[in-house]
Each structure stands twice: as C-alpha cells, then as structure tokens.
Amino acid sequence: MRNQLTVSAEHLELVFEQVVSLAIDTSHLALALQAVEVDCAVSAGILNSVRMALQGNAAISEDISDQLDSMLSARQDEVSGLE
C-alpha cells in the first residue's frame, strides 16, 4: 500500500515561489562571498567552504524548483485536458 498525500496546486505554487527565491538568494550570497578578500589562509578556506555549500544548496533548490514546476505543469495539463 502506497502512502499518498494530497496537496493543493496553490500550496505547491507557494512552495515553488519560495524555493525559487531561496535559490536566487543563495546564489547571490555565494557570488558576494567571491568578492571578499582575506589575508588569512584559514579564513579564506572557511569562506570558500561556505561559498561551496551555498552553491550546492542553490543547485539543490533549483532542482527542487524544476521538479515542482514539472508537477505544476502536469497538473495544469491535466486540468486543461478536462475542460
């Protein structure tokens, strides 16, 4: 028996918008960190690690937003087909 969860399209759209916003903000933060220059090798390593983590999170957020977009598009196609 599979577990199923019913979620409204409006709720998915809200989540989609928030994930897209998160991906954009994360990408901007990673870019901003590239502009930071430090003389300490340890600090530079920490900044690089944080930047890499932000880039990874941005990539994950973009993947999630793509998946949500596909779900919303499929739902819209299904609704359009019923009309």
Side-chain angles (χ1 to χ4, degrees):
M1 176 182 257
R2 288 180 31 182
N3 292 329
Q4 293 186 354
L5 176 66
T6 302
V7 180
S8 70
E10 291 83 15
H11 185 74
L12 281 179
E13 286 182 31
L14 177 63
V15 171
F16 171 74
E17 290 169 4
Q18 290 174 339
V19 170
V20 168
S21 179
L22 178 63
I24 291 168
D25 290 347
T26 303
S27 294
H28 288 166
L29 286 172
L31 287 173
L33 283 177
Q34 285 181 335
V36 176
E37 293 183 23
V38 293
D39 294 331
C40 174
V42 173
S43 296
I46 291 170
L47 284 173
N48 190 45
S49 295
V50 170
R51 188 175 52 80
M52 289 174 54
L54 287 170
Q55 289 173 335
N57 285 340
I60 291 168
S61 296
E62 289 173 13
D63 184 47
I64 292 170
S65 67
D66 289 345
Q67 291 177 28
L68 284 170
D69 189 39
S70 294
M71 291 170 63
L72 290 167
S73 296
R75 177 65 182 145
Q76 184 62 36
D77 291 345
E78 182 180 307
V79 169
S80 296
L82 294 175
E83 295 175 357

mmCIF file of all heavy atoms in Angstrom, residues 4-54:
data_model
loop_
_atom_site.group_PDB
_atom_site.id
_atom_site.type_symbol
_atom_site.label_atom_id
_atom_site.label_comp_id
_atom_site.label_asym_id
_atom_site.label_seq_id
_atom_site.Cartn_x
_atom_site.Cartn_y
_atom_site.Cartn_z
ATOM 1 N N GLN A 4 -0.178 8.241 0.126
ATOM 2 C CA GLN A 4 -0.413 9.349 -0.782
ATOM 3 C C GLN A 4 -0.741 10.590 0.022
ATOM 4 O O GLN A 4 -1.354 10.522 1.076
ATOM 5 C CB GLN A 4 -1.550 9.035 -1.745
ATOM 6 C CG GLN A 4 -1.218 7.928 -2.713
ATOM 7 C CD GLN A 4 -2.314 7.747 -3.737
ATOM 8 O OE1 GLN A 4 -3.364 8.364 -3.673
ATOM 9 N NE2 GLN A 4 -2.072 6.879 -4.691
ATOM 10 N N LEU A 5 -0.326 11.700 -0.519
ATOM 11 C CA LEU A 5 -0.558 12.980 0.117
ATOM 12 C C LEU A 5 -1.203 13.901 -0.906
ATOM 13 O O LEU A 5 -0.712 14.034 -2.030
ATOM 14 C CB LEU A 5 0.770 13.573 0.600
ATOM 15 C CG LEU A 5 0.736 14.952 1.209
ATOM 16 C CD1 LEU A 5 -0.049 14.938 2.526
ATOM 17 C CD2 LEU A 5 2.158 15.429 1.466
ATOM 18 N N THR A 6 -2.292 14.527 -0.527
ATOM 19 C CA THR A 6 -2.962 15.458 -1.422
ATOM 20 C C THR A 6 -2.576 16.872 -1.024
ATOM 21 O O THR A 6 -2.692 17.249 0.135
ATOM 22 C CB THR A 6 -4.495 15.294 -1.314
ATOM 23 O OG1 THR A 6 -4.827 13.949 -1.619
ATOM 24 C CG2 THR A 6 -5.197 16.229 -2.264
ATOM 25 N N VAL A 7 -2.076 17.609 -2.011
ATOM 26 C CA VAL A 7 -1.658 18.989 -1.787
ATOM 27 C C VAL A 7 -2.296 19.841 -2.871
ATOM 28 O O VAL A 7 -2.312 19.457 -4.041
ATOM 29 C CB VAL A 7 -0.111 19.116 -1.859
ATOM 30 C CG1 VAL A 7 0.317 20.549 -1.631
ATOM 31 C CG2 VAL A 7 0.560 18.192 -0.860
ATOM 32 N N SER A 8 -2.809 21.006 -2.479
ATOM 33 C CA SER A 8 -3.446 21.876 -3.468
ATOM 34 C C SER A 8 -2.392 22.493 -4.382
ATOM 35 O O SER A 8 -1.239 22.693 -4.004
ATOM 36 C CB SER A 8 -4.235 22.986 -2.760
ATOM 37 O OG SER A 8 -3.352 23.896 -2.145
ATOM 38 N N ALA A 9 -2.803 22.792 -5.590
ATOM 39 C CA ALA A 9 -1.912 23.429 -6.562
ATOM 40 C C ALA A 9 -1.464 24.789 -6.051
ATOM 41 O O ALA A 9 -0.322 25.197 -6.268
ATOM 42 C CB ALA A 9 -2.616 23.560 -7.910
ATOM 43 N N GLU A 10 -2.349 25.483 -5.351
ATOM 44 C CA GLU A 10 -1.991 26.792 -4.801
ATOM 45 C C GLU A 10 -0.855 26.664 -3.791
ATOM 46 O O GLU A 10 0.067 27.482 -3.769
ATOM 47 C CB GLU A 10 -3.204 27.465 -4.146
ATOM 48 C CG GLU A 10 -4.274 27.892 -5.129
ATOM 49 C CD GLU A 10 -5.215 26.748 -5.506
ATOM 50 O OE1 GLU A 10 -5.235 25.705 -4.808
ATOM 51 O OE2 GLU A 10 -5.906 26.887 -6.522
ATOM 52 N N HIS A 11 -0.917 25.634 -2.970
ATOM 53 C CA HIS A 11 0.139 25.410 -1.982
ATOM 54 C C HIS A 11 1.458 25.063 -2.673
ATOM 55 O O HIS A 11 2.519 25.559 -2.294
ATOM 56 C CB HIS A 11 -0.261 24.308 -1.001
ATOM 57 C CG HIS A 11 0.716 24.118 0.104
ATOM 58 N ND1 HIS A 11 0.836 25.006 1.139
ATOM 59 C CD2 HIS A 11 1.656 23.157 0.314
ATOM 60 C CE1 HIS A 11 1.804 24.601 1.946
ATOM 61 N NE2 HIS A 11 2.314 23.482 1.471
ATOM 62 N N LEU A 12 1.391 24.225 -3.694
ATOM 63 C CA LEU A 12 2.602 23.884 -4.447
ATOM 64 C C LEU A 12 3.197 25.118 -5.124
ATOM 65 O O LEU A 12 4.416 25.270 -5.167
ATOM 66 C CB LEU A 12 2.307 22.821 -5.498
ATOM 67 C CG LEU A 12 2.201 21.381 -4.999
ATOM 68 C CD1 LEU A 12 1.884 20.454 -6.168
ATOM 69 C CD2 LEU A 12 3.466 20.942 -4.309
ATOM 70 N N GLU A 13 2.350 25.986 -5.635
ATOM 71 C CA GLU A 13 2.844 27.209 -6.262
ATOM 72 C C GLU A 13 3.548 28.099 -5.238
ATOM 73 O O GLU A 13 4.585 28.695 -5.542
ATOM 74 C CB GLU A 13 1.714 27.957 -6.945
ATOM 75 C CG GLU A 13 1.261 27.300 -8.225
ATOM 76 C CD GLU A 13 0.168 28.076 -8.944
ATOM 77 O OE1 GLU A 13 0.150 29.324 -8.842
ATOM 78 O OE2 GLU A 13 -0.653 27.431 -9.612
ATOM 79 N N LEU A 14 3.004 28.183 -4.038
ATOM 80 C CA LEU A 14 3.622 28.969 -2.980
ATOM 81 C C LEU A 14 4.991 28.392 -2.617
ATOM 82 O O LEU A 14 5.982 29.126 -2.506
ATOM 83 C CB LEU A 14 2.725 29.011 -1.740
ATOM 84 C CG LEU A 14 3.293 29.739 -0.527
ATOM 85 C CD1 LEU A 14 3.521 31.207 -0.838
ATOM 86 C CD2 LEU A 14 2.368 29.572 0.667
ATOM 87 N N VAL A 15 5.060 27.087 -2.462
ATOM 88 C CA VAL A 15 6.326 26.427 -2.156
ATOM 89 C C VAL A 15 7.309 26.650 -3.306
ATOM 90 O O VAL A 15 8.483 26.961 -3.077
ATOM 91 C CB VAL A 15 6.112 24.922 -1.886
ATOM 92 C CG1 VAL A 15 7.435 24.196 -1.778
ATOM 93 C CG2 VAL A 15 5.296 24.731 -0.618
ATOM 94 N N PHE A 16 6.833 26.522 -4.526
ATOM 95 C CA PHE A 16 7.667 26.742 -5.708
ATOM 96 C C PHE A 16 8.281 28.141 -5.687
ATOM 97 O O PHE A 16 9.483 28.310 -5.882
ATOM 98 C CB PHE A 16 6.835 26.529 -6.974
ATOM 99 C CG PHE A 16 7.531 26.924 -8.241
ATOM 100 C CD1 PHE A 16 8.542 26.150 -8.771
ATOM 101 C CD2 PHE A 16 7.170 28.089 -8.895
ATOM 102 C CE1 PHE A 16 9.186 26.523 -9.952
ATOM 103 C CE2 PHE A 16 7.805 28.461 -10.065
ATOM 104 C CZ PHE A 16 8.814 27.681 -10.592
ATOM 105 N N GLU A 17 7.460 29.148 -5.441
ATOM 106 C CA GLU A 17 7.947 30.521 -5.415
ATOM 107 C C GLU A 17 8.993 30.724 -4.323
ATOM 108 O O GLU A 17 9.995 31.411 -4.525
ATOM 109 C CB GLU A 17 6.784 31.490 -5.219
ATOM 110 C CG GLU A 17 5.866 31.578 -6.422
ATOM 111 C CD GLU A 17 4.585 32.335 -6.145
ATOM 112 O OE1 GLU A 17 4.418 32.875 -5.020
ATOM 113 O OE2 GLU A 17 3.734 32.398 -7.043
ATOM 114 N N GLN A 18 8.785 30.122 -3.164
ATOM 115 C CA GLN A 18 9.734 30.256 -2.065
ATOM 116 C C GLN A 18 11.054 29.549 -2.382
ATOM 117 O O GLN A 18 12.124 30.059 -2.058
ATOM 118 C CB GLN A 18 9.135 29.714 -0.769
ATOM 119 C CG GLN A 18 8.015 30.586 -0.245
ATOM 120 C CD GLN A 18 7.313 29.984 0.952
ATOM 121 O OE1 GLN A 18 7.369 28.784 1.185
ATOM 122 N NE2 GLN A 18 6.643 30.817 1.724
ATOM 123 N N VAL A 19 10.986 28.396 -3.013
ATOM 124 C CA VAL A 19 12.207 27.663 -3.364
ATOM 125 C C VAL A 19 12.996 28.430 -4.427
ATOM 126 O O VAL A 19 14.225 28.520 -4.348
ATOM 127 C CB VAL A 19 11.878 26.224 -3.831
ATOM 128 C CG1 VAL A 19 13.094 25.547 -4.429
ATOM 129 C CG2 VAL A 19 11.333 25.405 -2.672
ATOM 130 N N VAL A 20 12.301 28.996 -5.406
ATOM 131 C CA VAL A 20 12.980 29.796 -6.431
ATOM 132 C C VAL A 20 13.654 31.004 -5.779
ATOM 133 O O VAL A 20 14.817 31.316 -6.069
ATOM 134 C CB VAL A 20 11.994 30.241 -7.532
ATOM 135 C CG1 VAL A 20 12.611 31.300 -8.432
ATOM 136 C CG2 VAL A 20 11.548 29.048 -8.357
ATOM 137 N N SER A 21 12.953 31.670 -4.878
ATOM 138 C CA SER A 21 13.525 32.812 -4.172
ATOM 139 C C SER A 21 14.745 32.402 -3.355
ATOM 140 O O SER A 21 15.764 33.108 -3.343
ATOM 141 C CB SER A 21 12.469 33.441 -3.256
ATOM 142 O OG SER A 21 13.004 34.526 -2.555
ATOM 143 N N LEU A 22 14.665 31.260 -2.699
ATOM 144 C CA LEU A 22 15.793 30.747 -1.922
ATOM 145 C C LEU A 22 16.988 30.459 -2.821
ATOM 146 O O LEU A 22 18.127 30.798 -2.480
ATOM 147 C CB LEU A 22 15.379 29.475 -1.175
ATOM 148 C CG LEU A 22 16.448 28.782 -0.358
ATOM 149 C CD1 LEU A 22 16.950 29.674 0.768
ATOM 150 C CD2 LEU A 22 15.908 27.473 0.200
ATOM 151 N N ALA A 23 16.750 29.872 -3.971
ATOM 152 C CA ALA A 23 17.838 29.565 -4.905
ATOM 153 C C ALA A 23 18.517 30.843 -5.384
ATOM 154 O O ALA A 23 19.752 30.919 -5.448
ATOM 155 C CB ALA A 23 17.300 28.768 -6.096
ATOM 156 N N ILE A 24 17.732 31.857 -5.684
ATOM 157 C CA ILE A 24 18.291 33.133 -6.146
ATOM 158 C C ILE A 24 19.097 33.788 -5.032
ATOM 159 O O ILE A 24 20.238 34.228 -5.244
ATOM 160 C CB ILE A 24 17.169 34.064 -6.647
ATOM 161 C CG1 ILE A 24 16.568 33.503 -7.933
ATOM 162 C CG2 ILE A 24 17.687 35.487 -6.860
ATOM 163 C CD1 ILE A 24 15.285 34.182 -8.362
ATOM 164 N N ASP A 25 18.532 33.849 -3.833
ATOM 165 C CA ASP A 25 19.241 34.456 -2.703
ATOM 166 C C ASP A 25 20.536 33.719 -2.390
ATOM 167 O O ASP A 25 21.566 34.336 -2.129
ATOM 168 C CB ASP A 25 18.353 34.466 -1.451
ATOM 169 C CG ASP A 25 17.186 35.433 -1.560
ATOM 170 O OD1 ASP A 25 17.181 36.284 -2.480
ATOM 171 O OD2 ASP A 25 16.265 35.339 -0.721
ATOM 172 N N THR A 26 20.495 32.403 -2.437
ATOM 173 C CA THR A 26 21.677 31.600 -2.144
ATOM 174 C C THR A 26 22.768 31.843 -3.181
ATOM 175 O O THR A 26 23.938 31.989 -2.840
ATOM 176 C CB THR A 26 21.307 30.103 -2.089
ATOM 177 O OG1 THR A 26 20.273 29.924 -1.110
ATOM 178 C CG2 THR A 26 22.474 29.248 -1.695
ATOM 179 N N SER A 27 22.377 31.915 -4.431
ATOM 180 C CA SER A 27 23.341 32.193 -5.498
ATOM 181 C C SER A 27 23.974 33.570 -5.322
ATOM 182 O O SER A 27 25.179 33.742 -5.494
ATOM 183 C CB SER A 27 22.670 32.119 -6.868
ATOM 184 O OG SER A 27 22.251 30.818 -7.136
ATOM 185 N N HIS A 28 23.157 34.549 -4.954
ATOM 186 C CA HIS A 28 23.674 35.893 -4.738
ATOM 187 C C HIS A 28 24.646 35.937 -3.562
ATOM 188 O O HIS A 28 25.682 36.632 -3.635
ATOM 189 C CB HIS A 28 22.534 36.875 -4.524
ATOM 190 C CG HIS A 28 21.755 37.170 -5.763
ATOM 191 N ND1 HIS A 28 20.538 37.796 -5.745
ATOM 192 C CD2 HIS A 28 22.006 36.908 -7.073
ATOM 193 C CE1 HIS A 28 20.075 37.928 -6.972
ATOM 194 N NE2 HIS A 28 20.947 37.384 -7.799
ATOM 195 N N LEU A 29 24.338 35.222 -2.499
ATOM 196 C CA LEU A 29 25.251 35.171 -1.352
ATOM 197 C C LEU A 29 26.583 34.537 -1.743
ATOM 198 O O LEU A 29 27.651 35.006 -1.347
ATOM 199 C CB LEU A 29 24.618 34.400 -0.191
ATOM 200 C CG LEU A 29 23.511 35.121 0.559
ATOM 201 C CD1 LEU A 29 22.834 34.169 1.543
ATOM 202 C CD2 LEU A 29 24.052 36.336 1.287
ATOM 203 N N ALA A 30 26.526 33.471 -2.520
ATOM 204 C CA ALA A 30 27.756 32.810 -2.963
ATOM 205 C C ALA A 30 28.593 33.752 -3.823
ATOM 206 O O ALA A 30 29.817 33.819 -3.677
ATOM 207 C CB ALA A 30 27.430 31.527 -3.730
ATOM 208 N N LEU A 31 27.936 34.498 -4.704
ATOM 209 C CA LEU A 31 28.650 35.468 -5.539
ATOM 210 C C LEU A 31 29.260 36.584 -4.692
ATOM 211 O O LEU A 31 30.390 37.019 -4.943
ATOM 212 C CB LEU A 31 27.712 36.063 -6.591
ATOM 213 C CG LEU A 31 27.323 35.148 -7.741
ATOM 214 C CD1 LEU A 31 26.252 35.814 -8.614
ATOM 215 C CD2 LEU A 31 28.543 34.806 -8.581
ATOM 216 N N ALA A 32 28.524 37.035 -3.693
ATOM 217 C CA ALA A 32 29.038 38.096 -2.823
ATOM 218 C C ALA A 32 30.276 37.629 -2.065
ATOM 219 O O ALA A 32 31.229 38.390 -1.884
ATOM 220 C CB ALA A 32 27.958 38.546 -1.844
ATOM 221 N N LEU A 33 30.285 36.383 -1.658
ATOM 222 C CA LEU A 33 31.449 35.865 -0.928
ATOM 223 C C LEU A 33 32.687 35.783 -1.816
ATOM 224 O O LEU A 33 33.810 35.838 -1.317
ATOM 225 C CB LEU A 33 31.147 34.503 -0.324
ATOM 226 C CG LEU A 33 30.287 34.512 0.936
ATOM 227 C CD1 LEU A 33 30.010 33.081 1.399
ATOM 228 C CD2 LEU A 33 30.950 35.310 2.038
ATOM 229 N N GLN A 34 32.503 35.657 -3.120
ATOM 230 C CA GLN A 34 33.649 35.631 -4.025
ATOM 231 C C GLN A 34 34.397 36.954 -4.005
ATOM 232 O O GLN A 34 35.593 37.004 -4.272
ATOM 233 C CB GLN A 34 33.205 35.318 -5.459
ATOM 234 C CG GLN A 34 32.840 33.876 -5.670
ATOM 235 C CD GLN A 34 32.436 33.596 -7.116
ATOM 236 O OE1 GLN A 34 31.990 34.491 -7.832
ATOM 237 N NE2 GLN A 34 32.598 32.364 -7.531
ATOM 238 N N ALA A 35 33.699 38.032 -3.685
ATOM 239 C CA ALA A 35 34.317 39.356 -3.679
ATOM 240 C C ALA A 35 35.101 39.632 -2.395
ATOM 241 O O ALA A 35 35.867 40.584 -2.336
ATOM 242 C CB ALA A 35 33.253 40.421 -3.860
ATOM 243 N N VAL A 36 34.917 38.802 -1.385
ATOM 244 C CA VAL A 36 35.600 39.012 -0.107
ATOM 245 C C VAL A 36 37.032 38.513 -0.215
ATOM 246 O O VAL A 36 37.276 37.385 -0.634
ATOM 247 C CB VAL A 36 34.861 38.275 1.042
ATOM 248 C CG1 VAL A 36 35.622 38.404 2.342
ATOM 249 C CG2 VAL A 36 33.441 38.797 1.181
ATOM 250 N N GLU A 37 37.964 39.396 0.148
ATOM 251 C CA GLU A 37 39.378 39.029 0.137
ATOM 252 C C GLU A 37 39.907 39.061 1.568
ATOM 253 O O GLU A 37 39.653 40.008 2.308
ATOM 254 C CB GLU A 37 40.181 39.993 -0.731
ATOM 255 C CG GLU A 37 39.834 39.900 -2.200
ATOM 256 C CD GLU A 37 40.685 40.823 -3.053
ATOM 257 O OE1 GLU A 37 41.788 41.199 -2.610
ATOM 258 O OE2 GLU A 37 40.234 41.154 -4.155
ATOM 259 N N VAL A 38 40.615 38.020 1.935
ATOM 260 C CA VAL A 38 41.212 37.948 3.272
ATOM 261 C C VAL A 38 42.664 37.523 3.138
ATOM 262 O O VAL A 38 43.048 36.847 2.180
ATOM 263 C CB VAL A 38 40.450 36.959 4.188
ATOM 264 C CG1 VAL A 38 39.053 37.471 4.496
ATOM 265 C CG2 VAL A 38 40.359 35.587 3.572
ATOM 266 N N ASP A 39 43.463 37.928 4.120
ATOM 267 C CA ASP A 39 44.880 37.576 4.119
ATOM 268 C C ASP A 39 45.143 36.247 4.823
ATOM 269 O O ASP A 39 46.152 35.610 4.585
ATOM 270 C CB ASP A 39 45.696 38.680 4.808
ATOM 271 C CG ASP A 39 45.657 39.983 4.027
ATOM 272 O OD1 ASP A 39 45.516 39.916 2.788
ATOM 273 O OD2 ASP A 39 45.756 41.053 4.651
ATOM 274 N N CYS A 40 44.234 35.843 5.673
ATOM 275 C CA CYS A 40 44.410 34.628 6.473
ATOM 276 C C CYS A 40 43.961 33.402 5.667
ATOM 277 O O CYS A 40 42.834 33.350 5.156
ATOM 278 C CB CYS A 40 43.601 34.754 7.757
ATOM 279 S SG CYS A 40 43.572 33.291 8.780
ATOM 280 N N ALA A 41 44.839 32.414 5.572
ATOM 281 C CA ALA A 41 44.518 31.202 4.807
ATOM 282 C C ALA A 41 43.345 30.442 5.427
ATOM 283 O O ALA A 41 42.514 29.880 4.707
ATOM 284 C CB ALA A 41 45.744 30.295 4.725
ATOM 285 N N VAL A 42 43.264 30.449 6.751
ATOM 286 C CA VAL A 42 42.160 29.747 7.423
ATOM 287 C C VAL A 42 40.834 30.427 7.088
ATOM 288 O O VAL A 42 39.852 29.768 6.739
ATOM 289 C CB VAL A 42 42.388 29.692 8.955
ATOM 290 C CG1 VAL A 42 41.178 29.125 9.662
ATOM 291 C CG2 VAL A 42 43.634 28.884 9.279
ATOM 292 N N SER A 43 40.802 31.742 7.175
ATOM 293 C CA SER A 43 39.577 32.483 6.848
ATOM 294 C C SER A 43 39.193 32.286 5.386
ATOM 295 O O SER A 43 38.018 32.123 5.058
ATOM 296 C CB SER A 43 39.770 33.975 7.129
ATOM 297 O OG SER A 43 39.975 34.195 8.505
ATOM 298 N N ALA A 44 40.190 32.291 4.503
ATOM 299 C CA ALA A 44 39.914 32.056 3.083
ATOM 300 C C ALA A 44 39.329 30.668 2.872
ATOM 301 O O ALA A 44 38.397 30.490 2.075
ATOM 302 C CB ALA A 44 41.191 32.226 2.263
ATOM 303 N N GLY A 45 39.854 29.686 3.597
ATOM 304 C CA GLY A 45 39.325 28.328 3.496
ATOM 305 C C GLY A 45 37.893 28.236 3.987
ATOM 306 O O GLY A 45 37.056 27.551 3.383
ATOM 307 N N ILE A 46 37.597 28.928 5.074
ATOM 308 C CA ILE A 46 36.232 28.932 5.609
ATOM 309 C C ILE A 46 35.286 29.607 4.621
ATOM 310 O O ILE A 46 34.197 29.088 4.340
ATOM 311 C CB ILE A 46 36.190 29.623 6.989
ATOM 312 C CG1 ILE A 46 36.920 28.756 8.019
ATOM 313 C CG2 ILE A 46 34.749 29.896 7.423
ATOM 314 C CD1 ILE A 46 37.164 29.434 9.345
ATOM 315 N N LEU A 47 35.695 30.754 4.084
ATOM 316 C CA LEU A 47 34.859 31.444 3.100
ATOM 317 C C LEU A 47 34.616 30.566 1.874
ATOM 318 O O LEU A 47 33.498 30.505 1.348
ATOM 319 C CB LEU A 47 35.506 32.763 2.671
ATOM 320 C CG LEU A 47 35.405 33.912 3.664
ATOM 321 C CD1 LEU A 47 36.234 35.092 3.188
ATOM 322 C CD2 LEU A 47 33.964 34.315 3.871
ATOM 323 N N ASN A 48 35.642 29.890 1.425
ATOM 324 C CA ASN A 48 35.497 29.006 0.264
ATOM 325 C C ASN A 48 34.535 27.853 0.576
ATOM 326 O O ASN A 48 33.699 27.497 -0.263
ATOM 327 C CB ASN A 48 36.868 28.473 -0.166
ATOM 328 C CG ASN A 48 36.782 27.766 -1.494
ATOM 329 O OD1 ASN A 48 36.157 28.264 -2.430
ATOM 330 N ND2 ASN A 48 37.413 26.605 -1.594
ATOM 331 N N SER A 49 34.635 27.295 1.761
ATOM 332 C CA SER A 49 33.738 26.199 2.155
ATOM 333 C C SER A 49 32.288 26.664 2.213
ATOM 334 O O SER A 49 31.375 25.967 1.745
ATOM 335 C CB SER A 49 34.149 25.632 3.513
ATOM 336 O OG SER A 49 35.404 25.032 3.426
ATOM 337 N N VAL A 50 32.082 27.842 2.783
ATOM 338 C CA VAL A 50 30.724 28.385 2.872
ATOM 339 C C VAL A 50 30.190 28.673 1.475
ATOM 340 O O VAL A 50 29.036 28.352 1.158
ATOM 341 C CB VAL A 50 30.698 29.658 3.755
ATOM 342 C CG1 VAL A 50 29.358 30.366 3.665
ATOM 343 C CG2 VAL A 50 31.027 29.316 5.200
ATOM 344 N N ARG A 51 31.029 29.251 0.620
ATOM 345 C CA ARG A 51 30.618 29.546 -0.757
ATOM 346 C C ARG A 51 30.247 28.263 -1.501
ATOM 347 O O ARG A 51 29.225 28.204 -2.190
ATOM 348 C CB ARG A 51 31.731 30.287 -1.487
ATOM 349 C CG ARG A 51 31.331 30.791 -2.852
ATOM 350 C CD ARG A 51 32.420 31.619 -3.509
ATOM 351 N NE ARG A 51 33.717 30.967 -3.540
ATOM 352 C CZ ARG A 51 34.089 30.032 -4.421
ATOM 353 N NH1 ARG A 51 33.236 29.621 -5.327
ATOM 354 N NH2 ARG A 51 35.286 29.513 -4.384
ATOM 355 N N MET A 52 31.052 27.223 -1.331
ATOM 356 C CA MET A 52 30.756 25.948 -1.986
ATOM 357 C C MET A 52 29.460 25.349 -1.462
ATOM 358 O O MET A 52 28.661 24.795 -2.235
ATOM 359 C CB MET A 52 31.926 24.980 -1.804
ATOM 360 C CG MET A 52 33.147 25.378 -2.619
ATOM 361 S SD MET A 52 34.612 24.361 -2.308
ATOM 362 C CE MET A 52 34.000 22.725 -2.586
ATOM 363 N N ALA A 53 29.229 25.461 -0.166
ATOM 364 C CA ALA A 53 27.979 24.951 0.419
ATOM 365 C C ALA A 53 26.783 25.726 -0.128
ATOM 366 O O ALA A 53 25.739 25.130 -0.453
ATOM 367 C CB ALA A 53 28.029 25.041 1.939
ATOM 368 N N LEU A 54 26.931 27.044 -0.232
ATOM 369 C CA LEU A 54 25.844 27.858 -0.792
ATOM 370 C C LEU A 54 25.556 27.482 -2.240
ATOM 371 O O LEU A 54 24.402 27.390 -2.657
ATOM 372 C CB LEU A 54 26.185 29.345 -0.695
ATOM 373 C CG LEU A 54 26.109 29.961 0.705
ATOM 374 C CD1 LEU A 54 26.709 31.354 0.695
ATOM 375 C CD2 LEU A 54 24.682 29.989 1.205
#
